[in-house]
Amino acid sequence: MARIKYPHDFLKQTELFKKIKAKHDADGAGSVLNPYLSEQGINMDKDKSDTDKAITKNKLFDKAEKEAEDYTQDRNTLFDPAFANMKDGFQFLKKLYRGNPAELGHWGATVNGNAIVHPPDFLKRVELFKTYKAKHDSYPAGSSPLAPFLSENKIDMDDDETDVTAAKAKHKSAKQTEKDAEDLREERDKLFDPVMEHVRGMGQYLKGLYVKHPKHLGQWGYTVDDSPPKPRRHPRSVPAGGQITIKKVIGDTEFRNAGGTILVLCEESTPTEEGISVDAGDKANIPKSFTTLSIVNQNSDQKGKCSLVY
């Protein structure tokens, strides 16, 4: 049976709608869509207006998403060198406080066994840097335990602090722009989702109309696939004390018992006692000869669950 393949990409979905409307408008009073649109109360002009507004929202969404990525990249460019300097500084202090790792806690570090654990969250890393620098600044000039390390490696903590502060501002901008982008995406979808539902409904209506000539759907912009559907894995449930029968099972594939009951696999004409028993949570290979499969749940109290390919 022919199937309509609907696009997943937003802009391709809008292009499909535009093709449908162009064909409908060109056909005028003779458009075969007229009965469906009337019955369903669909106003194609309103859908066109909503689609145009959704496309505008999508352009703004793309722009905001790109800006958020740029802010994040700028943040990382500023912050990563300062963070790397801090990590190296902690390793130096770890060697200094050998045998007394708890001393690192005064610098803000979290120690797990012999390892310094740095927080994954950006803002927590910023707070860690502040604690680290505040501890360094608490010593009289030139007397900080970090002084030799900073001098040897030409690290200026004040410069790093300036970069960290700027990075935090970029982070704030990135998060706000990400929120703006998400709001725009939601506004876009609120406008276009109903239109896409109409596109799908019109597709099914036309598919029924062109039941003997499904390729005619292409005149409206739809893509039709009349190749046999590929087998895939399906989840199924088996009633307590009951059975289900599935045709066109793919032999030599894996049967998975995903429930808590024993399930018995039988070819349609095979007695249950001659079937393949599959314990709860186990797997079994379906014989090639099993094209029509009965799955029997011998537990009368609990529904069975399984999956198989057909």
Side-chain angles (χ1 to χ4, degrees):
M1 180 181 291
R3 301 181 306 283
I4 299 174
K5 296 178 67 175
Y6 295 99
H8 298 289
D9 177 75
F10 168 76
L11 289 178
K12 289 181 179 179
Q13 290 177 345
T14 63
E15 288 302 315
L16 173 56
F17 169 77
K18 290 177 182 179
K19 289 176 182 177
I20 296 168
K21 188 175 187 305
K23 166 72 171 163
H24 171 68
D25 290 347
D27 291 349
S31 171
V32 296
L33 271 182
N34 282 325
Y36 181 81
L37 299 179
S38 176
E39 177 64 28
Q40 298 297 321
I42 297 172
N43 184 327
M44 290 285 271
D45 290 331
K46 180 181 182 304
D47 279 1
K48 171 65 164 56
S49 175
D50 287 345
T51 297
D52 290 342
K53 291 174 185 176
I55 290 172
T56 299
K57 294 289 185 183
N58 189 65
K59 290 178 180 177
L60 295 172
F61 162 73
D62 286 342
K63 181 174 180 289
E65 194 172 50
K66 177 63 167 62
E67 287 177 353
E69 292 174 359
D70 290 344
Y71 280 129
T72 300
Q73 181 60 51
D74 291 345
R75 178 202 72 182
N76 293 342
T77 299
L78 287 162
F79 185 75
D80 288 353
F83 183 64
N85 288 341
M86 180 177 66
K87 287 173 68 177
D88 289 342
F90 272 126
Q91 290 301 316
F92 171 76
L93 291 171
K94 179 181 173 184
K95 293 175 175 61
L96 175 67
Y97 298 129
R98 183 178 180 183
N100 187 21
E103 190 65 26
L104 290 167
H106 297 145
W107 293 79
T110 298
V111 181
N112 184 3
N114 196 40
I116 299 173
V117 182
H118 299 289
D121 179 75
F122 171 78
L123 291 177
K124 289 182 179 178
R125 288 185 172 188
V126 170
E127 291 304 313
L128 176 58
F129 177 84
K130 289 180 179 179
T131 303
Y132 171 77
K133 186 175 186 299
K135 177 64 175 174
H136 169 70
D137 291 344
S138 70
Y139 291 92
S143 64
S144 167
L146 264 182
F149 170 80
L150 299 176
S151 176
E152 176 63 29
N153 292 282
K154 297 180 174 56
I155 295 172
D156 188 319
M157 288 275 276
D158 291 332
D159 287 348
D160 280 357
E161 183 178 41
T162 298
D163 288 343
V164 168
T165 300
K168 186 177 179 181
K170 293 288 186 182
H171 177 79
K172 183 178 180 180
S173 296
K175 290 303 177 184
Q176 180 58 54
T177 312
E178 285 173 4
K179 182 181 181 304
D180 293 343
E182 180 60 23
D183 290 344
L184 286 164
R185 186 191 63 78
E186 290 180 1
E187 292 169 9
R188 177 201 74 185
D189 293 348
K190 186 176 180 180
L191 284 163
F192 189 71
D193 282 355
V195 178
M196 192 58 199
E197 281 301 306
H198 294 164
V199 168
R200 292 178 184 277
M202 288 184 286
Q204 293 306 307
Y205 167 77
L206 292 170
K207 181 181 172 183
L209 177 67
Y210 300 133
V211 65
K212 293 185 178 180
H213 305 283
K215 293 296 184 182
H216 287 184
L217 283 158
Q219 298 171 8
W220 295 83
Y222 291 98
T223 299
V224 178
D225 182 2
D226 55 4
S227 62
K230 294 181 180 179
R232 62 181 180 86
R233 181 165 296 278
H234 297 265
R236 298 298 300 262
S237 61
V238 188
Q243 73 177 54
I244 59 173
T245 299
I246 301 172
K247 297 182 179 181
K248 297 183 179 179
V249 172
I250 306 300
D252 200 26
T253 58
E254 187 177 77
F255 175 87
R256 301 172 186 172
N257 185 345
T261 70
I262 296 174
L263 299 176
V264 181
L265 313 182
C266 312
E267 195 174 18
E268 191 173 30
S269 58
T270 305
T272 301
E273 57 269 19
E274 297 180 15
I276 301 169
S277 181
V278 186
D279 290 338
D282 278 358
K283 303 172 183 177
N285 191 65
I286 300 175
K288 287 184 178 180
S289 60
F290 284 30
T291 54
T292 300
L293 180 70
S294 292
I295 306 172
V296 182
N297 181 5
Q298 294 183 321
N299 187 315
S300 59
D301 299 319
Q302 185 178 351
K303 179 175 68 175
K305 296 179 181 180
C306 62
S307 69
L308 65 163
V309 178
Y310 59 91

